[in-house]
Amino acid sequence: MATIRVGVNGFGTIGKRVAAAVAAQDDMELVGVTKTRPNYEAKTAIAKGYGLYVPETSVQAFKDAGVEIQGTLKDLLGKVDIIVDCTPGGVGEEYKEMYKEAGVKAIFQGGEDHALTGISFNSTANYSESWGAQFSRVVSCNTTGLLRTLNPLDKKFKIKNAFVTIVRRAADPGDSKTGPINGLEPSVKLPTHHGPDVQSIMPWLNINTMAIKASTTLMHVHTVVVQLENETTTEEVLSIFKSAPRVRLVKSKDGIKSTAEIMEYARDIGRDRSDMYEIVVWQDGVKVVGNTLYYYQAVHQESDVIPENVDCIRSMCKMEQDGAASQAKTNKAMGISQ
Ligand code: NAD
């Protein structure tokens, strides 16, 4: 089978990781990425050997800065089968018409609304729904985290209700513009958008979410309380998590007590940029009482959606019909063990 030609529009936190993940697949070719400004990230893209393209309005700025480009975004669209839009939330929407006119498939990210595409994607929960689609949307980091654990639980036990509190990181590590830098900020508009976003993929699920922004950049942490239809045991739930795709169990008594040690662990196992693609569940923090399950999970916001984007490309471009086979291929290329 011919390789699928992929472009990435927006080379920030998510875009640079999607570009690297696509370049690591043997059935995909990374044709190029776009930057709006000739900054260090644009120069790094060139140094990595990526084709650098820019929106029409940025051509002069790159000329003035002496940073060489391969062409405009329009030129890039003429060379690819699919574009992964990784522009900031709300900006992707502005590009949809351009992608449509170019006859190119497009993946949007969780910062866009579900209504933009009418299909949202999570590899574990609904791989086949994006099969052959022109547009799809990979849900946000928190929604991906919730689907990775709630979907397998629902399949096995049937969930009556899920109550989630999300302790959100205030900014990404490379972002010096946002905060709070010292404080905890509750999201007062309730319930938060995370529950409805999970329902864009599992519409039958009763889920209620609240969120607090915390002064940290490393990861999000979820506290999850799930009421199941029937009574079960902690051991049975752990066996579900052990076999759930891209879920990693860790133990507090092994010294992984916080998100800080999870990031250190990611560095120790040789992950690029200390990325932790899996959702991390504290094994000794899982507890079942009757039909109520309690657990904590940590979400590496910069990276958990990256393998999802790769699988979404395979589904939309009809490259692999079996979601599990795509996941296995993506995982192998990215060094993810499960
Ligand atoms: P980012 O700000 O780090 O990167 C966005 C990139 O797009 C930057 O390189 C910026 O220069 C570029 N850009 C800005 N305006 C543009 C335009 N008009 N045309 C082309 N490029 C433009 O943002 P991010 O964190 O990578 O987020 C991208 C998307 O991924 C958003 O929808 C976001 O909600 C979603 N997402 C982010 C995270 C996260 O934690 N960072 C996690 C999951 C999903």
Side-chain angles (χ1 to χ4, degrees), residues 171-191:
D172 287 334
D175 179 4
S176 61
K177 295 190 292 286
T178 44
I181 57 165
N182 183 18
L184 296 166
E185 184 184 310
S187 299
V188 292
K189 193 163 171 276
L190 291 171

Side-chain angles (χ1 to χ4, degrees), residues 221-224 241 280-286 294-298:
V221 168
H222 299 169
T223 72
V224 188
F241 285 158
V280 178
V281 176
W282 274 275
Q283 180 166 333
D284 33 7
V286 176
Y294 304 86
Y295 62 97
Y296 298 99
Q297 62 178 23

Side-chain angles (χ1 to χ4, degrees), residues 124 145-162 202 204-205 224-230 232-245 247 281 286 288 292-295 297:
T124 316
L146 290 169
L147 287 162
R148 289 244 187 100
T149 50
L150 291 177
N151 189 263
L153 286 172
D154 188 54
K155 272 191 189 140
K156 174 77 183 176
F157 303 113
K158 193 95 193 69
I159 293 173
K160 234 190 330 191
N161 262 305
M202 295 174 68
W204 61 88
L205 189 72
V224 188
V225 181
V226 184
Q227 288 178 327
L228 303 163
E229 289 286 352
N230 298 306
T232 182
T233 61
T234 303
E235 289 67 35
E236 219 180 338
V237 167
L238 284 175
S239 80
I240 296 296
F241 285 158
K242 270 180 196 146
S243 58
V247 170
V281 176
V286 176
V288 173
T292 305
L293 159 67
Y294 304 86
Y295 62 97
Q297 62 178 23

Side-chain angles (χ1 to χ4, degrees), residues 9-14 35-36 86-88 95 109 111 169 172 301:
N9 188 23
F11 193 66
T13 305
I14 301 299
K35 274 306 291 177
T36 47
C86 301
T87 60
Y95 281 111
Q109 305 302 313
R169 62 91 179 98
D172 287 334
Q301 75 281 352

Side-chain angles (χ1 to χ4, degrees), residues 92-297:
E93 179 181 358
E94 297 167 17
Y95 281 111
K96 186 180 173 188
E97 212 40 51
M98 191 175 179
Y99 302 152
K100 201 171 173 180
E101 264 174 36
V104 163
K105 290 176 188 279
I107 298 177
F108 296 91
Q109 305 302 313
E112 308 303 321
D113 290 338
H114 171 75
L116 183 68
T117 53
I119 310 174
S120 290
F121 181 87
N122 174 265
S123 199
T124 316
N126 74 341
Y127 178 88
S128 58
E129 277 178 40
S130 292
W131 185 252
Q134 186 179 4
F135 299 120
S136 188
R137 178 187 77 120
V138 170
V139 292
S140 76
C141 49
N142 280 310
T143 308
T144 297
L146 290 169
L147 287 162
R148 289 244 187 100
T149 50
L150 291 177
N151 189 263
L153 286 172
D154 188 54
K155 272 191 189 140
K156 174 77 183 176
F157 303 113
K158 193 95 193 69
I159 293 173
K160 234 190 330 191
N161 262 305
F163 302 94
V164 181
T165 299
I166 298 172
V167 182
R168 296 173 56 199
R169 62 91 179 98
D172 287 334
D175 179 4
S176 61
K177 295 190 292 286
T178 44
I181 57 165
N182 183 18
L184 296 166
E185 184 184 310
S187 299
V188 292
K189 193 163 171 276
L190 291 171
T192 62
H193 69 276
H194 306 95
D197 208 27
V198 170
Q199 287 165 335
S200 73
I201 290 186
M202 295 174 68
W204 61 88
L205 189 72
N206 287 321
I207 176 166
N208 303 280
T209 50
M210 298 175 80
I212 296 175
K213 228 201 261 185
S215 332
T216 179
T217 63
L218 300 180
M219 299 182 88
H220 305 295
V221 168
H222 299 169
T223 72
V224 188
V225 181
V226 184
Q227 288 178 327
L228 303 163
E229 289 286 352
N230 298 306
E231 292 197 3
T232 182
T233 61
T234 303
E235 289 67 35
E236 219 180 338
V237 167
L238 284 175
S239 80
I240 296 296
F241 285 158
K242 270 180 196 146
S243 58
R246 296 175 187 152
V247 170
R248 182 182 281 266
L249 289 171
V250 298
K251 288 185 197 147
S252 166
K253 47 178 181 268
D254 281 345
I256 301 186
K257 293 185 185 299
S258 76
T259 52
E261 289 90 16
I262 295 174
M263 289 288 90
E264 184 65 6
Y265 183 32
R267 282 189 283 270
D268 285 351
I269 59 177
R271 289 284 171 83
D272 283 351
R273 298 186 167 93
S274 93
D275 282 345
M276 181 56 83
Y277 308 109
E278 303 93 324
I279 301 309
V280 178
V281 176
W282 274 275
Q283 180 166 333
D284 33 7
V286 176
K287 175 95 182 160
V288 173
V289 182
N291 68 344
T292 305
L293 159 67
Y294 304 86
Y295 62 97
Y296 298 99
Q297 62 178 23

